[in-house]
Amino acid sequence: MSDERPEGVEAYSHPAGGWDALKAVAKTLKHQQIVAQGSTTLLKANQPEGFDCPGCAWPDPKHTSSFEFCENGAKAITWESTARRVEPEFFAEHTVSELWEWIDHKLEDQGRLTHPLKYNGATDKYEAIDWDHAFALIGAELNKLASPHEAEFYTSGRASNEAAFLYQLFVRAYGTNNFPDCSNMCHEATSVGLPLSLGVGKGTVTLEDFDDADAIFSFGHNPGTNHPRMMTTLHEASRRGVPIIVFNPLKERALERFAAPQNPVEMVTLSSTRIASAYHQVRTGGDLAALKGLMKLIFERDEADLAVGGEGVLDRAFIAEHTIGIDALKEDLANTSWADILSVSGLTMEALNSAVDVYLNARNVILCYGMGITQHANGTANVQQLANFLMLRGNIGRPGAGLCPLRGHSNVQGDRTVGITEIPNKALLDGMERAFGFRPSAEKGHNAIESIEAIAAGKSKALICLGGNLAVAMSDPDVTFAAMRKLDLAVHIATKLNRSHLLTAKTSIILPCLGRTDLDTQASGPQAVTVEDSMSMVHASRGFLKPPSELLKSEPAIIAGIAMATLGTKYDIDWDGLIANYDRIREKIEVVFPDFHEFNSRVRVRGGFRLDVPASYRVWKTASGKANFLVAPGLDEDPRLKDPTTLVLTTLRSHDQYNTTVYGLDDRYRGIFGRRDVIFMSSRDLAERGLRDGDRIDIRSAAGNGGGKTVIGFTAVEYNIPVGSVAGYYPEMNAVIALDHYDRKSGTPSYKGVPVTIAKSEAQAAA
Ligand SMILES: Nc1nc2c(c(=O)[nH]1)N[C@H]1C(S)=C(S)[C@@H](COP(=O)(O)OP(=O)(O)OC[C@H]3O[C@@H](n4cnc5c(=O)[nH]c(N)nc54)[C@H](O)[C@@H]3O)O[C@H]1N2
Ligand SMILES: Nc1nc2c(c(=O)[nH]1)N[C@H]1C(S)=C(S)[C@@H](COP(=O)(O)OP(=O)(O)OC[C@H]3O[C@@H](n4cnc5c(=O)[nH]c(N)nc54)[C@H](O)[C@@H]3O)O[C@H]1N2
Ligand SMILES: [Mo]
């Protein structure tokens, strides 16, 4: 690599965290013009009387923590509590066509939405409309459809339990199960895969389990950016001498070393703590191979130990009492060659052996994973192999051990728990009947990809979005954007303006809502909502800031407004009563889901309560009544990736973004400043294509991935990443991901296993 790096690329040598994190927060506060108000807001995040941080779903130490510093939590909060406003005058000045040309960052950076808006096709502008008109219009449009199945109801995972529950009530009373959900693009592989393995689609550990872990394995997640409060846990574990074994194609700085801003010694002495004790740069999509390699070694070690009269290394008592299927797993591993395991994973035998040493030396192992595992064409299989790996040594369902999926949005898990699902089970339908006296349809509805397909095919004509930015989050903007422009009705319940709102339908409406930090006052007084974190803890969240505009309504109130305008008195649901006091919503949640018994009193106890996770005490709610070892045939995530000219693109979040919300253009820890139009490539992949660090390149979707999709004129950045793997930013790279490239079992788009080819940019060649 030459000393001259491309513009905006600069090696970053500091540990993650530390003073640079504090500086970044100061800068954010200043930019959002909330220096005074913002800093007190931050102090209320994740406090017993405060609001739940919208940044991530990592739990809090018994919810009694002192202020836990978190740079990206601070960004999420200040982004929402900004002093900036986007008012009707703004929309009078800018047509939708003009706004379409703005970058995503600039759209959201205008500030909080203040008025309900309706699109006027004649002027190409959004104009203020009053709430009653908006609701009436939406109700009329929904009632015009030939069938309720012609409407899609999207949920993004920031919605509270109360909002999500009312939403599913409204939609089921209306008559469909079309619930595309951000979870479909995120941890669906967990929700679909783990119930078959363990009988529950959630993590099995609690935060306290980390105190008893003897080793932590980490696959495909980047906590320094995406779950920053987890760094406190990893920092503590590392300082206790707990080995942390990482499998990730990129060397993420926070997984290498971290300076805790709470630690005065590290701050003053500019020192830091090593996080990963071993860092294995697995090839993108090579996790299945790596896991099979690890398990194959465990079986080999077991046989060797038995041969010399030992007891073996498997937890035979656990396997005999609690599991079925181990023989088939063993056979699959026996039939998998070492040559294939090593070439597909990109790891050496020594690396795999060293990881197995750590695994076998540890009594209790926790395994954490994120999108690097789930967002693949074989995401569900990946998740199930993680479960197998733990089960071999009984590392599920006892203190200090278990599976820890890092969830995405702060309440994505809760939304699922309270009924956002396109496949309602009998318990849900029975519960709804008990609580509301009608039996909803059992017919399977659409997930996120199916909803876009239905809209593209003209079968679905209306889309209501409870938050999020579906068009930009989804793969294949060619198809997705065009589909959304064909809608008859598009409704967005949102805090800030984004590109999905600009894909106008015949009738397009934006309904501005309160956020987590805002005070929510209803007829009975100030309200709290509830959320569920990654570890199944349910607790209250209460905003306290003066809302950005007097016109804003809460999400539950907006849903009730749409419901009344659409359903009238159907099923005699007392929408006004439910909104007047959210305790009444919680009473209904408790009737539908008995797990929430005494909901209102338990959620008022400091720290809230944990929902039942039977696998965490070794009760298996599977069809067999046992934990199942499940076999995933083969190693390749997708045979189409075999073509040697093909590179596997993975798509990542920068340090300055929250999903489609781009706070800024830096990605400090990866050494990228002021730009996002880059592709990380190994020196060998560059050389083989006659490319150099800083060259302009075009990225094309390769065989089997839609063909012909391109992103042009990006810049190649030489980077420490395995040969054959390249990385770029989400959402920019969604343009080369075909809509039909997804995990057939869970419907999760293969955002992290995209076959592409890369060559010098034709634009540059021509110039
Ligand atoms: N600040 C901030 N916080 C967030 C979010 C945000 O955007 N910003 N998003 C929220 C949401 S919705 C989610 S789902 C989570 C996402 O949290 P993460 O799961 O951490 O998200 P990603 O950035 O998508 O990528 C995860 C990691 O996977 C690695 N990786 C990529 N491909 C592979 C692979 O094939 N194998 C392996 N082993 N690793 C791979 C990448 O190098 C990266 O380090 O964070 C949540 N929290
Ligand atoms: N290529 C690629 N694509 C991906 C991913 C990837 O890793 N790679 N990750 C996927 C994942 S894991 C996810 S979860 C999805 C994310 O998909 P979404 O959840 O749909 O997207 P977000 O960017 O989180 O949504 C941002 C918008 O939410 C609105 N908003 C913010 N706060 C609130 C609130 O409190 N209430 C309401 N009503 N609205 C609010 C704002 O208007 C903001 O513009 O993207 C997926 N897409
Ligand atoms: Mo997510």
Side-chain angles (χ1 to χ4, degrees):
M1 200 179 327
S2 74
D3 293 343
E4 189 65 27
R5 299 300 318 266
E7 199 185 327
V9 180
E10 225 176 278
Y12 182 79
S13 58
H14 300 186
W19 290 103
D20 288 353
L22 294 181
K23 276 188 230 150
V25 172
K27 192 170 144 195
T28 312
L29 286 170
K30 188 158 167 246
H31 178 73
Q32 299 300 331
Q33 303 161 5
I34 42 170
V35 177
Q37 177 186 295
S39 42
T40 42
T41 314
L42 295 183
L43 294 172
K44 284 220 179 189
N46 293 346
Q47 295 303 301
E49 296 302 313
F51 60 91
D52 182 69
C53 177
C56 76
W58 186 254
D60 304 298
K62 301 183 187 73
H63 249 265
T64 54
S65 63
S66 59
F67 174 60
E68 232 190 311
F69 173 82
C70 164
E71 174 191 340
N72 279 358
K75 286 185 204 151
I77 293 164
T78 51
W79 191 256
E80 178 174 298
S81 56
T82 176
R84 298 168 174 233
R85 302 286 175 263
V86 37
E87 302 189 303
E89 296 73 50
F90 169 87
F91 291 99
E93 278 168 32
H94 304 285
T95 61
V96 165
S97 314
E98 181 197 339
L99 293 173
W100 182 259
E101 301 303 322
W102 291 20
I103 58 169
D104 295 290
H105 167 71
K106 191 169 164 194
L107 290 175
E108 278 207 39
D109 200 28
Q110 301 310 307
R112 289 285 298 272
L113 293 158
T114 57
H115 287 63
L117 301 162
K118 177 178 178 293
Y119 178 65
N120 179 342
T123 58
D124 188 30
K125 286 175 179 171
Y126 270 106
E127 294 165 357
I129 177 177
D130 63 55
W131 282 103
D132 288 341
H133 276 103
F135 289 149
L137 205 57
I138 297 166
E141 288 294 321
L142 287 177
N143 285 324
K144 247 200 250 166
L145 298 177
S147 142
H149 303 311
E150 291 183 0
E152 305 288 344
F153 298 87
Y154 177 68
T155 311
S156 171
R158 239 180 233 197
S160 63
N161 288 336
E162 289 72 10
F165 178 78
L166 278 195
Y167 194 52
Q168 66 85 37
L169 168 62
F170 157 57
V171 174
R172 294 206 156 92
Y174 173 66
T176 184
N177 286 311
N178 286 344
F179 283 111
D181 178 15
C182 76
S183 184
N184 298 140
M185 298 179 260
C186 183
H187 261 293
E188 196 65 13
T190 299
S191 308
V192 169
L194 284 189
L196 298 171
S197 293
L198 304 175
V200 62
K202 302 180 179 184
T204 68
V205 298
T206 64
L207 195 51
E208 289 70 40
D209 282 321
F210 281 84
D211 297 337
D212 296 320
D214 304 313
I216 297 171
F217 278 65
S218 149
F219 279 83
H221 66 112
N222 183 20
T225 292
N226 298 319
H227 301 91
R229 283 176 299 116
M230 184 190 196
M231 291 314 301
T232 310
T233 306
L234 293 178
H235 188 260
E236 267 169 28
S238 170
R239 293 180 84 86
R240 269 197 301 123
V242 174
I244 299 173
I245 311 296
V246 173
F247 290 82
N248 193 315
L250 275 76
K251 285 232 169 155
E252 304 291 18
R253 180 57 45 84
L255 287 169
E256 296 183 294
R257 26 201 182 99
F258 183 71
Q262 278 93 343
N263 183 315
V265 176
E266 286 185 350
M267 290 303 272
V268 172
T269 61
L270 300 181
S271 58
S272 62
T273 298
R274 166 187 67 60
I275 299 298
S277 52
Y279 208 117
H280 302 297
Q281 288 184 272
V282 63
R283 289 180 56 188
T284 302
D287 301 273
L288 187 61
L291 283 159
K292 285 199 182 182
L294 295 173
M295 292 191 287
K296 192 173 163 83
L297 279 176
I298 293 170
F299 278 108
E300 286 181 10
R301 301 257 189 120
D302 186 63
E303 274 166 20
D305 191 55
L306 292 176
V308 296
E311 292 172 358
V313 303
L314 302 178
D315 184 341
R316 292 202 149 65
F318 172 80
I319 292 167
E321 185 184 346
H322 289 286
T323 73
I324 55 174
I326 192 163
D327 293 337
L329 175 69
K330 196 171 174 181
E331 194 187 320
D332 174 58
L333 296 172
N335 293 335
T336 310
S337 79
W338 278 118
D340 287 348
I341 288 174
L342 299 183
S343 76
V344 178
S345 70
L347 299 177
T348 61
M349 203 68 192
E350 296 76 65
L352 293 173
N353 261 309
S354 74
V356 167
D357 287 341
V358 173
Y359 183 66
L360 295 181
N361 277 331
R363 169 88 191 98
N364 304 324
V365 177
I366 292 179
L367 191 150
C368 308
Y369 68 96
M371 298 298 103
I373 285 291
T374 60
Q375 292 175 334
H376 286 284
N378 61 353
T380 303
N382 277 341
V383 170
Q384 292 172 339
Q385 299 308 306
L386 294 175
N388 288 348
F389 175 67
L390 289 180
M391 281 154 56
L392 288 177
R393 298 260 297 169
N395 273 313
I396 300 237
R398 58 180 164 76
L403 208 47
C404 177
L406 278 308
R407 288 279 168 171
H409 271 294
S410 52
N411 197 41
V412 59
Q413 186 162 320
D415 291 347
R416 268 299 156 88
T417 304
V418 301
I420 302 295
T421 168
E422 73 278 12
I423 315 168
N425 60 20
K426 181 170 178 303
L428 171 60
L429 299 173
D430 289 350
M432 289 295 287
E433 193 167 7
R434 241 183 350 260
F436 299 103
F438 72 95
R439 192 163 186 87
S441 159
E443 195 177 323
K444 184 197 166 303
H446 294 154
N447 65 19
I449 287 200
E450 289 161 350
S451 74
I452 301 296
E453 286 172 344
I455 295 169
K459 289 183 192 147
S460 285
K461 301 184 166 74
L463 170 68
I464 299 198
C465 292
L466 179 55
N469 188 2
L470 174 60
V472 179
M474 184 46 82
S475 38
D476 215 333
D478 282 351
V479 176
T480 303
F481 289 4
M484 285 178 61
R485 287 200 160 102
K486 293 203 310 204
L487 285 163
D488 288 343
L489 174 70
V491 179
H492 296 279
I493 302 169
T495 51
K496 292 210 172 175
L497 181 64
N498 66 43
R499 192 166 302 282
S500 293
H501 309 162
L502 305 178
L503 290 162
T504 51
K506 285 201 190 95
T507 302
S508 269
I509 293 177
I510 301 175
L511 301 174
C513 65
L514 298 174
R516 280 282 169 78
T517 52
D518 301 321
L519 181 65
D520 178 357
T521 311
Q522 303 295 342
S524 69
Q527 303 295 313
V529 293
T530 62
V531 293
E532 174 185 341
D533 67 30
S534 252
M535 298 183 187
S536 304
M537 294 294 301
V538 178
H539 56 83
S541 171
R542 190 189 288 274
F544 66 98
L545 292 177
K546 183 167 169 278
S549 140
E550 283 176 3
L551 284 172
L552 298 195
K553 288 185 187 288
S554 73
E555 290 177 337
I558 294 172
I559 294 158
I562 297 176
M564 286 185 279
T566 309
L567 303 176
T569 55
K570 191 175 182 187
Y571 301 136
D572 283 330
I573 299 164
D574 179 14
W575 295 100
D576 282 325
L578 290 166
I579 295 307
N581 184 342
Y582 296 173
D583 277 352
R584 297 192 190 131
I585 305 178
R586 287 184 283 270
E587 282 164 14
K588 290 291 188 187
I589 292 179
E590 177 176 341
V591 177
V592 179
F593 306 100
D595 230 20
F596 284 87
H597 59 91
E598 296 151 89
F599 193 0
N600 278 311
S601 58
R602 284 199 294 160
V603 83
R604 283 177 165 80
V605 174
R606 264 188 165 225
F609 59 93
R610 184 157 189 253
L611 290 171
D612 191 32
V613 180
S616 66
Y617 48 91
R618 297 192 165 174
V619 170
W620 317 102
K621 301 276 184 189
T622 55
S624 65
K626 303 271 185 186
N628 293 309
F629 283 103
L630 297 172
V631 173
L635 288 183
D636 279 316
E637 95 161 273
D638 189 326
R640 296 176 294 191
L641 302 185
K642 275 234 153 91
D643 175 6
T645 60
T646 298
L647 294 163
V648 184
L649 170 77
T650 189
T651 58
L652 311 165
R653 291 159 167 79
S654 79
H655 192 60
D656 273 3
Q657 88 183 71
Y658 194 94
N659 297 339
T660 68
T661 297
V662 178
Y663 303 131
L665 301 180
D666 294 349
D667 190 9
R668 188 169 80 237
Y669 297 149
R670 299 193 187 110
I672 302 294
F673 299 92
R675 63 189 305 181
R676 292 171 55 86
D677 57 345
V678 296
I679 295 289
F680 301 105
M681 293 178 75
S682 70
S683 53
R684 206 175 108 191
D685 283 326
L686 284 169
E688 278 177 6
R689 286 161 185 77
L691 295 169
R692 295 216 317 248
D693 184 37
D695 273 354
R696 297 245 287 164
I697 51 170
D698 296 342
I699 304 99
R700 270 172 230 288
S701 58
N705 171 30
K709 296 182 188 301
T710 50
V711 167
I712 56 170
F714 270 39
T715 293
V717 169
E718 185 178 332
Y719 204 76
N720 179 356
I721 185 171
V723 173
S725 304
V726 297
Y729 292 119
Y730 142 60
E732 285 81 347
M733 297 318 297
N734 285 9
V736 292
I737 310 177
L739 189 64
D740 82 342
H741 193 54
Y742 60 88
D743 176 16
R744 290 300 185 258
K745 293 200 168 108
S746 69
T748 315
S750 185
Y751 296 122
K752 288 191 169 42
V754 188
V756 296
T757 57
I758 290 183
K760 191 167 274 188
S761 181
E762 282 169 15
Q764 177 170 323

